[in-house]
Amino acid sequence: MMKRAPTRRPQPSEEGYVLVAVICLVAMLTIALAVALPKVSKEIQRDRELETMHRGLQYARGVKLYYKKFGAYPPSVDALVKTNNIRFLRKKYTDPTTARKTGSR
């Protein structure tokens, strides 16, 4: 029968260092997230605003093409999507800031 080698027990003065290191790492991570969070939220808002601009340009283009074709403005957004099997707009876009369909109330 083989004897096991005795395991070394840490001295009482060494026991809390790992816990202190983990607490420090968690604190640094929390501070880094607190700094990065406002930047990320502003970037998301900026992306939504850009997407709103793009969709607005698509609607303006659709109204312009509808006016050129029929000499009148479209009565609704549905007329831009499909009138006499002609599409002036691919689809009714949702508003990126409110997540509602355009033209719905």
Side-chain angles (χ1 to χ4, degrees):
M1 198 152 130
M2 291 181 67
K3 284 189 173 183
R4 287 187 160 171
T7 57
R8 180 182 172 273
R9 288 193 54 108
Q11 296 294 329
S13 63
E14 297 176 0
E15 289 179 347
Y17 287 118
V18 174
L19 181 61
V20 170
V22 169
I23 290 173
C24 288
L25 286 173
V26 169
M28 286 190 292
L29 181 65
T30 304
I31 291 169
L33 285 174
V35 169
L37 197 62
K39 292 178 184 178
V40 170
S41 66
K42 282 184 182 182
E43 189 66 32
I44 290 171
Q45 182 63 30
R46 192 171 296 127
D47 287 344
R48 285 183 180 154
E49 290 169 356
L50 277 172
E51 187 62 28
T52 302
M53 289 290 294
H54 170 70
R55 291 176 184 184
L57 291 174
Q58 291 298 310
Y59 276 106
R61 180 183 164 273
V63 169
K64 185 177 178 180
L65 291 173
Y66 187 96
Y67 188 82
K68 269 186 165 179
K69 179 77 174 175
F70 297 111
Y73 290 107
S76 67
V77 175
D78 293 326
L80 288 175
V81 176
K82 196 166 190 178
T83 301
N84 299 333
N85 292 327
I86 301 172
R87 289 181 164 272
F88 299 99
L89 192 65
R90 277 188 245 160
K91 64 178 184 175
K92 285 172 87 170
Y93 292 107
T94 57
D95 183 3
T97 54
T98 62
R100 289 185 353 178
K101 286 278 188 189
T102 306
S104 63
R105 304 222 182 228

